[in-house]
Amino acid sequence: MLVATMGSIVFGCILPHGFEILEALSGDNPGLMARTRESAGQLGEQMRQAAPDVLVVLTPHGTRAEGQFAVANAERMRGTLEAHGAEVTLERAVDRGFAQAIAGEAQARGLPVALLNYATSEGPLSCLPLDWGALIPLHFMPQVPVVVINPPRGPDYGPHLRFGAALAQAAVAGGRRVGLIASCDWSHTHDEAGPYGHHPAAALLDAQVVAHLEAGDLEGLAHFDPQQIEDAKPDGLWQALVLAGALPRPGRQVQLLSYEAPTYFGLLCAAVVPGERLT
């Protein structure tokens, strides 16, 4: 595996965030998401080999600023997840300098960005919640500082591709070795017993997502019909398209590790990296 010496995105991946991916939160059914758990472990090992000095997590569930790319700018983030009588807590320092650099580069390109903090500008109270969309992927990753970003949702995906390009440029300009994680669950209407019921669009959309990834065509995720998105209810499109903008063609390779839908939503793990670093 080659290691970049200049600032760049050294490894990217798509990871889901179902609670039971963490074995400690799987209760008496550790096999429910075992395939995804194994793939997440493989992606974590690939990330460690790439040796990033900062991890950027794109989550759909963090603190939102409507219509804006919400970038955490607190000193740290901390979260606790509870399920099946167990809990998992994770805390990470925030790379505020890089968070501000990403925001500045995106704003210079005319993109709407909100830098988020809590209570005080710095110090022990400057702490934002670490949501499950960030905490679960980070559980498998090396312990380096983080930047957590919540992209806006909506039918216009051009800003997401442009934000990804801004993120990549900030890495180059700052000489940063960045690991980029798109936290994505897919269709949420696979199971009648789930909170959103069943719709046949779920299986169709997820199959198309898998096909796009197998073809290395992340940009193709921008072409789903709005009604299909409404019926299938994925929450991964926006983060995946930021990843596409950050690691564009040519020179990008995608390696699909696994897909499963053991409950009402789809889970997918994939490596998305510069071609020379994919083994």
Side-chain angles (χ1 to χ4, degrees), residues 167-232:
L167 195 162
Q169 179 55 38
V172 172
R176 309 308 302 276
R177 298 178 53 80
V178 178
L180 182 55
I181 303 165
S183 180
C184 306
D185 287 345
W186 296 95
S187 297
H188 283 61
T189 55
H190 282 282
D191 189 342
E192 187 64 45
Y196 306 104
H198 174 266
H199 197 286
L204 177 60
L205 186 143
D206 281 9
Q208 291 173 315
V209 169
V210 167
H212 280 299
L213 292 182
E214 289 179 333
D217 180 24
L218 289 176
E219 292 80 3
L221 300 175
H223 301 304
F224 285 107
D225 181 86
Q227 188 59 54
Q228 186 179 10
I229 294 172
E230 173 61 28
D231 293 337

